[in-house]
Structures are given as structure tokens and as C-alpha cells.
Amino acid sequence: MEYERLSKTLGQVARLARERLGLTQAQVAHQTGIAPNVYGRIERGHMMPAVPTLRRLAVVLGLSADVLLALTPAEVAPTVDAPTPEGNLPPELRQTVRMLRGWPAGRVKLLNRILRSIENAPEEE
């Protein structure tokens, strides 16, 4: 996920969580230990918080950092001890999955079309 899209998503999630809790931006900023104008920039998607601030935001808003960062269970393991999401795949497929994670959506869609056409092609004997 590109930086700008990630910061916008994080800001939207933070705003929704803050509103759900009935808090103002100033209250969240105070509880998080940052200036209200800085928190406002985070919510508007104009600023990405530092990791310690992200952690404090997660605690104050009652959300996991996974939710704030828009991570899905398919993208990450829930704990260090858990197998990776692609842990049971053959090595070549694991390598491919890791590579595809960095691709933009348009390129993944194109590859998906190519794979579907290969899958639907008659078997060669």
C-alpha cells in the first residue's frame, strides 16, 4: 500500500474510532501526548505518525495497530510463533506470494487475467 493511501486510510480509521468513543480530536491528542493540530493532520491523512505515537493511538482508540494500518489476516501472522499466512505453501509459491505483495493493484489484476486464461486453456498432451 502506497504511503499516501496508507496515511489516508489510517486517518479515516482513527476518525471513525474516535467518533465511536465520543472523543474530540483534542482529547485524543492529549491522551496520546501529541499536539491537537498534529493529530488533526493524522486524521486528515496528511501525516503518518511515528511508531511510538501509532502505538499510543492504538491504545487510546482501543484498536489493534493491524486495524490502523489496514492489515488483513491474509497478509500477516497473528503472533511471532504462528506460521506465516503462506506457511503451508510450496517454496516457489511462497516466494511468488511475497513478491506479489509489493506489486501495485493494476499489475496484480493483469497477472490474474493471465493466470485465468492459462487455467482455462486446454491441457497440452
Side-chain angles (χ1 to χ4, degrees):
M1 186 177 278
E2 65 186 52
Y3 179 85
E4 285 134 13
R5 196 167 38 157
L6 176 59
S7 58
K8 287 222 179 280
T9 299
L10 186 143
Q12 291 169 349
V13 170
R15 180 182 49 78
L16 290 171
R18 174 182 61 77
E19 291 172 348
R20 176 192 60 155
L21 295 170
L23 298 172
T24 65
Q25 285 186 350
Q27 289 170 318
V28 173
H30 176 73
Q31 291 178 34
T32 308
I34 58 177
N37 65 328
V38 171
Y39 179 74
R41 289 180 64 208
I42 291 170
E43 263 197 21
R44 288 188 302 279
H46 297 152
M47 182 177 178
M48 182 64 70
V51 173
T53 304
L54 179 65
R55 185 183 190 290
R56 290 192 307 269
L57 269 175
V59 171
V60 169
L61 297 173
L63 296 174
S64 94
D66 290 357
V67 172
L68 284 169
L69 295 173
L71 294 170
T72 66
E75 294 174 307
V76 295
T79 67
V80 174
D81 298 331
T84 60
E86 68 273 354
N88 295 329
L89 299 175
E92 297 83 12
L93 194 50
R94 277 198 309 266
Q95 183 179 13
T96 303
V97 169
R98 284 189 210 112
M99 179 178 59
L100 292 175
R101 283 191 181 140
W103 283 19
R107 188 184 284 177
V108 173
K109 285 180 184 178
L110 178 61
L111 178 62
N112 198 333
R113 280 191 229 136
I114 293 167
L115 292 173
R116 268 194 243 120
S117 68
I118 293 171
E119 183 178 50
N120 295 330
E123 292 280 328
E124 291 184 24
E125 293 183 30

